[in-house]
Amino acid sequence: MQQSERKLVADGVPASQDPREAWAAAAYDVLADVARQYHAVITYKELAQTIQARTGIHTKALLHNPRQEPRAVGQGPQDG
């Protein structure tokens, strides 16, 4: 773990808690709140911003859909 990552852990969550665990717990709460509202939706960007605000743990990495595999340019679903 790099020093900057350790600092984020120390500043954002207890040192014993993995930042991914904190984000997962916050994401669950956010998504449950959205699910309680009729026809409510949330974008990945809104989800990321809310999770980072709630946990105090920030990253510059992009949030992505883990169900979507990265594909080479020109390689659609029918190609693979």
Side-chain angles (χ1 to χ4, degrees):
M1 183 181 299
Q2 296 176 354
Q3 183 178 2
S4 61
E5 290 177 298
R6 272 189 249 122
K7 182 176 183 273
L8 289 178
V9 173
D11 290 347
V13 294
S16 62
Q17 187 176 13
D18 184 327
R20 291 170 293 189
E21 291 175 5
W23 281 346
Y28 180 87
D29 292 339
V30 171
L31 293 172
D33 290 344
V34 172
R36 286 185 193 101
Q37 301 173 33
Y38 186 68
H39 285 294
V41 296
I42 189 166
T43 65
Y44 283 109
K45 182 178 180 178
E46 293 168 334
L47 178 60
Q49 290 171 339
T50 304
I51 291 168
Q52 291 181 37
R54 287 189 182 189
T55 62
I57 304 169
H58 300 276
T59 183
K60 292 181 182 177
L62 297 175
L63 180 67
H64 69 282
N65 183 347
R67 297 187 68 175
Q68 292 179 337
E69 294 296 322
R71 296 185 181 272
V73 174
Q75 185 181 22
Q78 68 280 3
D79 298 328

